[in-house]
Amino acid sequence: MFLTDTDLEAIALTLRLASVTTLILFTVGTPIAWWLARTRSRWKGPVGAVVALPLVLPPSVLGFYLLVTMGPNGAVGAVTEALGIGLLPFTFWGLVVGSVFYSLPFMVQPVQNAFEAFGERPLEAAATLGASPLDRFFTVALPLALPGFVTAGILSFAHTVGEFGVVLMIGGNIPGLTRVASVQIYDYVEALEYGNAHRLAAVLLVFSFLVLLVLYSWRPDRRRV
């Protein structure tokens, strides 16, 4: 076969992780993006810097601090154990937490830019017609920002698929539980199984190219002449 059963298992886990992470990011990232786009608070700069931090922070650093925080001696670990959830490191949901933090800027920044692009006038017009703040958000802001949401969703999903350092630090390398496609490639290289590594890497390469092709080809706001 082109891919082994272990490869398919790793790909399935990767796609599951990317799907769950993207859905959570839509929920968490949208209010953050909205606040950053509309606020004039002095905290906008620091909050924006924290959101963008994964863009420049080494994945191993982020993964290490998340591992410590979610571990038995960490604040989050103490809470999850008290709630009977158990510790999150080396579990699928630990991977989800790490992926949400690591892919957060890929969700927030495109959505924030989309919110900023249409300005205040459409919202003010809706307000004069009696629309409440919630109505203005759902009936005006969200439709106008739809291209930004599509871009953010695609980028967040693709970025999660390509993660390595964070997921390795938090999840380790447990087959069927935390071994995603990038870690599977790493295993092949360590074992000098370059043929298997080539095949799985080619799948991720083609996927990444198709994602970029869609992003650079799809421009719903581009004027046709």
Side-chain angles (χ1 to χ4, degrees), residues 39-72:
T39 188
R40 295 181 179 178
S41 169
R42 62 179 180 178
W43 291 102
K44 178 177 180 177
V47 172
V50 170
V51 169
L53 197 58
L55 294 174
V56 296
L57 193 67
S60 57
V61 174
L62 178 61
F64 170 73
Y65 282 114
L66 288 174
L67 181 65
V68 171
T69 303
M70 296 188 296

Side-chain angles (χ1 to χ4, degrees), residues 71-157:
N73 298 319
V76 175
V79 172
T80 55
E81 284 198 306
L83 294 175
I85 300 174
L87 297 176
L88 294 178
F90 309 108
T91 67
F92 173 78
W93 290 106
L95 294 184
V96 170
V97 172
S99 298
V100 166
F101 276 100
Y102 192 49
S103 295
L104 185 62
F106 291 87
M107 175 62 67
V108 171
Q109 291 184 353
V111 176
Q112 178 186 347
N113 292 336
F115 282 147
E116 291 174 343
F118 58 77
E120 296 285 349
R121 296 186 65 181
L123 299 174
E124 292 172 352
T128 61
L129 296 175
S132 67
L134 200 60
D135 288 335
R136 296 198 296 269
F137 178 76
F138 283 104
T139 62
V140 178
L142 286 186
L144 289 175
L146 182 60
F149 277 96
V150 174
T151 299
I154 294 174
L155 285 176
S156 299
F157 187 93

Side-chain angles (χ1 to χ4, degrees), residues 138-193:
F138 283 104
T139 62
V140 178
L142 286 186
L144 289 175
L146 182 60
F149 277 96
V150 174
T151 299
I154 294 174
L155 285 176
S156 299
F157 187 93
H159 186 252
T160 304
V161 168
E163 287 176 358
F164 175 71
V166 170
V167 293
L168 185 62
M169 289 289 291
I170 297 176
N173 188 1
I174 306 173
L177 185 61
T178 63
R179 182 188 290 171
V180 295
S182 57
V183 177
Q184 179 75 358
I185 295 173
Y186 176 76
D187 281 351
Y188 281 141
V189 174
E190 273 201 321
L192 302 180
E193 298 178 13

